[in-house]
């Protein structure tokens, strides 16, 4: 077993000092900020559209509040009690058990690297809209200009997507390398409440559109006939992605927490807020998509096609649009920084025997290279399709719906191998929280049985769908 505080791989390689969190509120906002991002606002709405609405949302809610929450708490506990990075923990377990558990560590870092590249491209899309709204402020014919903002310009220009993703990544790199992460976090904690208010305003406007009764029926009236072989896997993948699980991010995050912080309580709050934000996002986007925008609900461009249409219709819409995309980009930046920091702290003490500065730029250079694939998916790699899906769609699906669940299975194994029963029970139960005493057994049951069972079932059903589709052709 890996003992408490035995190891501090992250302590000398990250800029944040453990236990250095400022006020409690800032601390909670950051924990929430690390989970909330493009996954909630951009990805969730079109995944719901793709999977038919209400019934899928029910499956998502169930998985989020059982498996997602349980794994989230487990990752935070692994981080705090070992004080080490995932790569170091898995290597230690491998040495102790003489089994190749280090592959789980490597897999999760590989996923983080590719997800960072993919995430940077989508963050580049946000940057594009941000700059368009900014330029729009100086245009005489504002409404005409705003009306012309669309995704097609981006989709047809791989170089522009690559350039925007590079700018995003370089800004991340600058923040991490210069060690100004804490300053950035201060800005973010100030911006997050503004983002919240903005979202509520947009939500009220959006729900007053004539399409909202239809939307509410679509989202909250579960039609189980819409579920198919891939629904479980898609819901599982999204839950793990949106809660940032399976990538070692929360392990690193957990290692910053003080011993007296009750991690299950924190976990519950993060999971609840994250889930709530996802629901708010669909309520915000769908009424516009149903009434104003004529794009299919299943397209990754859904958010970017729908929201600008609403901003065009409302007074001061260009300011709202600009503020919204600035906030969304900052949230995306925060998520990217979390991924980059995790990658650097994991890799620098294992493979990259260089200083933090050089490790950071090596990681950024590799990520930049990887962004080429999603960025040019619609242009240079247009013909690289598989199962009628573009490269970027296949990348998303393989990473999030298949590899991430496998990595989370690994994380669960790591959890049980790195601590004994008394240890993890003690970390879960708090004297102040009666519910923790009642729930500890359920938590362990979910980690031991429900999570592995449903993760494996989700993957098997998706594979069955792939086989079925290729036989039908
Ligand atoms: N959870 C983030 C989101 O919803 C994505 C993310 C994944 C961030 C992994 C960091 C690490 O956007």
């Amino acid at each position: 077993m890996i003992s408490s505080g035995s190891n501090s791989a992250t302590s000398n390689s990250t800029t944040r000092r453990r236990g250095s969190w400022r006020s409690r509120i800032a601390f909670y906002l950051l924990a929430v900020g690390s989970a909330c991002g493009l996954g909630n606002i951009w990805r969730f709405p079109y995944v719901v559209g793709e999977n038919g609405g209400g019934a899928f949302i029910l499956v998502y809610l169930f998985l989020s509040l059982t498996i997602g929450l349980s794994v989230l708490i487990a990752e935070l506990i692994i981080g705090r009690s070992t004080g080490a990075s995932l790569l170091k923990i898995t290597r230690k377990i491998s040495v102790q058990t003489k089994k190749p558990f280090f592959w789980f560590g490597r897999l999760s870092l590989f996923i983080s690297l590719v997800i960072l590249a993919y995430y940077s491209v989508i963050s580049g899309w946000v940057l594009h809209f941000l700059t368009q709204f900014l330029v729009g402020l100086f245009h005489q014919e504002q409404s005409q200009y705003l009306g012309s903002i669309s995704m097609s310009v981006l989709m047809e220009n791989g170089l522009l997507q690559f350039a925007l993703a590079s700018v995003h990544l370089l800004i991340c790199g600058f923040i991490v390398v210069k060690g100004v992460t804490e300053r950035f976090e201060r800005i973010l904690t100030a911006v997050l409440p503004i983002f919240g208010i903005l979202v509520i305003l947009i939500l009220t406007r959006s729900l007053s559109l004539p399409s909202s009764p239809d939307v509410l029926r679509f989202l909250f009236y579960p039609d189980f006939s819409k579920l198919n072989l891939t629904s479980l896997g898609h819901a599982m993948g999204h839950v793990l992605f949106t809660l940032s699980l399976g990538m070692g991010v929360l392990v690193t995050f957990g290692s910053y927490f003080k011993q007296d912080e009750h991690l299950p309580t924190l976990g519950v709050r993060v999971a609840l807020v994250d889930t709530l934000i996802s629901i708010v996002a669909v309520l915000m986007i769908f009424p516009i998509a149903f009434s104003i925008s004529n794009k299919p609900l299943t397209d990754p461009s859904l958010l970017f096609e729908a929201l600008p249409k609403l901003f065009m219709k409302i007074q001061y819409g260009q300011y709202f649009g600009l503020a919204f995309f600035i906030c969304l980009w900052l949230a995306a930046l925060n998520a990217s920084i979390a991924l980059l920091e995790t990658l650097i702290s994991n890799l620098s003490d294992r493979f990259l025997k260089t200083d933090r500065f050089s490790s950071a730029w090596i990681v950024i250079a590799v990520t930049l290279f990887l962004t080429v694939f999603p960025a040019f998916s619609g242009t240079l790699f247009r013909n690289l399709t598989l199962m009628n899906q573009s490269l970027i769609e296949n990348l998303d699906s393989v990473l999030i719906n298949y590899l991430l669940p496998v990595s989370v299975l690994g994380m669960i194994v790591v959890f049980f191998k790195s601590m004994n029963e008394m240890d993890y029970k003690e970390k879960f139960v708090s004297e102040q929280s009666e519910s923790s005493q009642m729930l500890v057994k359920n938590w362990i049951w979910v980690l031991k049985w429900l999570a592995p069972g449903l993760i494996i079932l989700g993957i098997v059903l998706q594979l069955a769908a792939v086989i079925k589709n290729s036989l039908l052709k």
Side-chain angles (χ1 to χ4, degrees), residues 4 34 55 60 94 131 178 205 216 294 307 370 385 389 397 431:
S4 265
S34 75
Y60 162 79
S94 293
T131 45
K178 282 274 169 205
R205 186 67 185 85
L216 293 178
N294 48 10
L307 271 186
L370 292 173
T385 57
Q389 287 197 315
S397 173
E431 275 172 18

Side-chain angles (χ1 to χ4, degrees), residues 67-321:
I67 295 175
L69 174 60
S70 303
V71 176
L72 191 140
I73 295 172
E75 282 200 29
L76 287 172
I77 290 181
I78 299 176
R80 191 182 55 190
S81 53
T82 61
S85 62
L86 188 62
L87 214 54
K88 206 152 189 169
I89 300 168
T90 49
R91 215 172 60 233
K92 217 164 178 172
I93 298 174
S94 293
V95 173
Q96 282 166 355
T97 57
K98 301 204 170 47
K99 297 215 173 84
F101 285 112
F102 58 85
W103 280 111
F104 285 132
R106 291 184 183 178
L107 173 69
S108 90
L109 288 186
F110 169 76
I111 298 173
S112 312
L113 198 63
V114 189
I115 286 201
L116 179 58
Y118 174 54
Y119 207 81
S120 299
V121 173
I122 314 296
S123 306
W125 296 2
V126 179
L127 264 182
H128 172 73
F129 279 82
L130 188 164
T131 45
Q132 294 300 301
F133 272 93
L134 190 63
V135 175
L137 289 185
F138 306 102
H139 254 261
Q140 302 229 302
E141 277 299 327
Q142 263 173 10
S143 61
Q144 214 174 0
Y145 178 81
L146 292 182
S148 68
I149 300 177
S150 92
M151 273 303 272
S152 51
V153 179
L154 260 182
M155 291 297 112
E156 286 154 16
N157 194 340
L159 203 58
L160 178 62
Q161 290 192 56
F162 178 69
L164 289 165
S166 310
V167 169
H168 176 81
L169 256 180
L170 292 177
I171 294 176
C172 282
F174 178 81
I175 293 174
V176 171
V177 168
K178 282 274 169 205
V180 289
T181 330
E182 290 204 8
R183 221 175 297 164
F184 170 72
E185 283 166 356
R186 229 169 288 148
I187 299 176
L188 195 81
T189 43
V191 165
L192 276 177
I194 301 177
F195 196 21
I197 296 171
L198 209 59
V199 166
I200 293 172
L201 288 178
I202 300 171
L203 177 71
T204 15
R205 186 67 185 85
S206 180
L207 282 177
S208 65
L209 290 169
S211 57
S212 53
D214 290 338
V215 169
L216 293 178
R217 198 167 316 117
F218 176 74
L219 294 177
F220 300 118
Y221 179 79
D223 176 359
F224 288 97
S225 68
K226 297 233 175 91
L227 295 181
N228 56 35
L229 284 175
T230 58
S231 308
L232 176 63
H234 286 189
M236 182 71 79
H238 186 79
V239 164
L240 305 180
F241 176 71
T242 190
L243 293 175
S244 316
L245 303 174
M247 286 172 259
V249 173
L250 289 166
V251 175
T252 307
F253 203 66
S255 70
Y256 301 133
F257 287 85
K258 288 203 236 100
Q259 290 296 334
D260 58 0
E261 185 70 44
H262 188 231
L263 295 178
T265 308
L266 172 83
V268 169
R269 292 186 184 157
V270 171
L272 281 179
V273 175
D274 187 82
T275 309
L276 184 74
I277 294 181
S278 295
I279 300 293
V280 167
V282 281
L283 283 172
M284 188 170 78
I285 311 285
F286 276 95
I288 315 169
F290 269 47
S291 55
I292 315 176
S293 146
N294 48 10
K295 282 278 164 181
L297 306 175
T298 58
D299 202 275
S301 63
L302 179 63
L303 165 82
F304 300 100
E305 294 287 359
L307 271 186
K309 301 266 183 324
L310 181 81
F311 294 134
M312 254 181 68
K313 272 178 87 91
I314 57 180
Q315 210 184 2
Y316 304 118
Q318 68 273 31
Y319 295 102
F320 278 117

